[in-house]
Amino acid sequence: MSTYLELSSPREIISTHARTSFSFAARFLPQPQRDDAIDLYAFFRTLDDLVDESLQAIGNDAIRSELNAWDDWLVSRTMSGPREPLATNLSRVIDHHSIPIDIFQQMIQGLRADMELREIVTDAEFQTYCYQVASTVGYAMAHVLGATSPSALAAAERLGAAMQLTNILRDVGEDIDAGRVYLPVRLLEAYGLSRDDLVAMHVERSGPDDRLRELVRGQVRIAHAMYEQAMPGIWLLPEGCRLPILVASRLYRRLLTIIERNNFDTLRCRAATSRIDKAQEALISWTLVTRSKIDRRPVPEPAQSASSGSTIEVRGD
């Protein structure tokens, strides 16, 4: 049953999503960052589930009403929030880490757009969507972890966008079932495809044709490059917070490898990491973090923030 209908405790929410990359990586966070990160994740996850899972159960009007209530509450935070103890815990995290309120408002705006989504046309629209629903999460988490320099925030934004692109590539078939196609129209057209082509292939269970395979292959390559650009930001985090973020980012990036292994079929196959994958990535991450403490090598600067000039390139080759 939907977490929107049933759950409000951050611990219940994290338990419900115990197999996610975040839940696994959060185990490595030191206290008190772990509790604050869980409270933050619980808010983002609850609102994401509200839009993704509750549409059939409660309808658009009820969803819009709750999103509006959260928006109003964020401005004042002088009364109980729409869902407790979620709101009280979030307010404490916001105050403790001086997280800008507009981060959460942007995320809510992205969810409103998600409710009405029929198609994303241009690269710019795609970039805005990824910023609103994913990079905002990276920004907020960077504040909780104590990494708020311009370079650290730029890396957090890039990592959030890379993860969102990974999600979109992984869930092409699943999103079609929900009536959504996130791949931009201009990108589809560059490969001679349309939304109807994707829907037809999915309904017929025929899998991707050569055009779609090449599109996904190109986007996987772009996503890998985005992770590379974001990785230097790991070393801008406090030492105790580097391991969990590296684990989470490597687990998400491994999904790209699984997509490649599935011959870029994300219509019939949904890439997922196994327990062995998680254990391997945790070991690799621990080794990298340990070596960085020993080597004390200079930290390279991350790529320029997408919001300050660069873009998420989704065009065809």
Side-chain angles (χ1 to χ4, degrees):
M1 185 169 290
S2 169
T3 55
Y4 169 74
L5 296 173
E6 290 276 312
L7 307 177
S8 60
S9 163
R11 296 307 175 276
E12 289 178 316
I13 294 167
I14 200 73
S15 176
T16 300
H17 299 285
R19 296 185 64 183
T20 64
S21 296
F22 172 84
S23 300
F24 180 76
R27 304 174 190 179
F28 301 100
L29 276 170
Q31 296 286 2
Q33 287 97 331
R34 184 188 309 157
D35 289 339
D36 288 350
I38 288 174
D39 287 336
L40 190 65
Y41 174 84
F43 168 77
F44 285 123
R45 188 78 203 207
T46 295
L47 266 64
D48 190 58
D49 285 352
L50 167 65
V51 172
D52 282 348
E53 298 181 11
S54 303
L55 188 58
Q56 298 301 320
I58 64 175
N60 276 337
D61 290 344
I63 294 173
R64 287 194 190 93
S65 178
E66 175 143 351
L67 290 178
N68 291 339
W70 278 108
D71 226 350
D72 293 341
W73 175 83
L74 282 164
V75 173
S76 61
R77 289 189 289 127
T78 57
M79 61 189 77
S80 295
R83 188 172 297 279
E84 293 292 353
L86 200 63
T88 296
N89 292 342
L90 177 65
S91 186
R92 176 188 57 79
V93 173
I94 289 171
D95 289 338
H96 186 210
H97 299 283
S98 301
I99 306 175
I101 296 300
D102 71 286
I103 290 176
F104 303 95
Q105 294 171 321
Q106 284 282 338
M107 191 265 192
I108 291 173
Q109 186 59 31
L111 292 178
R112 287 196 185 99
D114 220 359
M115 292 177 61
E116 308 298 333
L117 182 68
R118 292 298 176 266
E119 59 184 12
I120 296 174
V121 178
T122 66
D123 289 1
E125 290 175 6
F126 186 75
Q127 179 184 354
T128 297
Y129 173 74
C130 288
Y131 169 78
Q132 289 176 330
V133 301
S135 292
T136 52
V137 180
Y139 270 134
M141 192 64 70
H143 280 79
V144 167
L145 301 182
T148 57
S149 69
S151 294
L153 292 176
E157 177 183 340
R158 199 66 174 173
L159 182 57
M163 289 178 167
Q164 184 61 26
L165 179 55
T166 303
N167 280 336
I168 289 170
L169 295 174
R170 177 192 62 186
D171 296 337
V172 173
E174 190 173 277
D175 288 334
I176 290 173
D177 286 334
R180 295 167 175 162
V181 173
Y182 290 98
L183 296 171
V185 172
R186 295 289 182 259
L187 175 64
L188 293 172
E189 289 176 344
Y191 286 86
L193 290 163
S194 69
R195 176 193 180 103
D196 290 343
D197 292 328
L198 268 60
V199 172
M201 282 184 269
H202 183 58
V203 170
E204 295 167 4
R205 299 293 294 170
S206 58
D209 61 14
D210 289 342
R211 297 171 299 172
L212 184 53
R213 289 188 198 278
E214 284 306 306
L215 185 156
V216 175
R217 186 195 308 274
Q219 296 310 296
V220 165
R221 185 162 54 246
I222 288 169
H224 275 302
M226 292 168 66
Y227 283 109
E228 289 291 338
Q229 293 167 351
M231 281 306 96
I234 299 292
W235 315 114
L236 299 176
L237 294 167
E239 282 192 1
C241 297
R242 293 172 186 171
L243 177 59
I245 303 306
L246 187 57
V247 169
S249 62
R250 288 187 62 90
L251 280 174
Y252 253 83
R253 190 172 181 180
R254 180 168 279 215
L255 291 173
L256 300 176
T257 302
I258 297 171
I259 290 172
E260 293 168 338
R261 188 186 308 150
N262 292 337
N263 198 20
F264 306 101
D265 183 355
T266 58
L267 288 174
R268 296 175 298 183
C269 306
R270 187 180 189 272
T273 52
S274 65
R275 291 183 178 179
I276 293 176
D277 292 329
K278 290 180 173 64
Q280 288 176 339
E281 293 300 346
L283 179 58
I284 292 170
S285 298
W286 178 84
T287 302
L288 291 171
V289 169
T290 301
R291 285 179 180 174
S292 74
K293 292 178 182 179
I294 296 172
D295 294 347
R296 300 292 180 181
R297 289 171 288 188
V299 177
E301 287 295 310
Q304 183 185 25
S305 164
S307 63
S308 61
S310 65
T311 60
I312 302 170
E313 294 292 342
V314 294
R315 299 180 182 84
D317 294 337

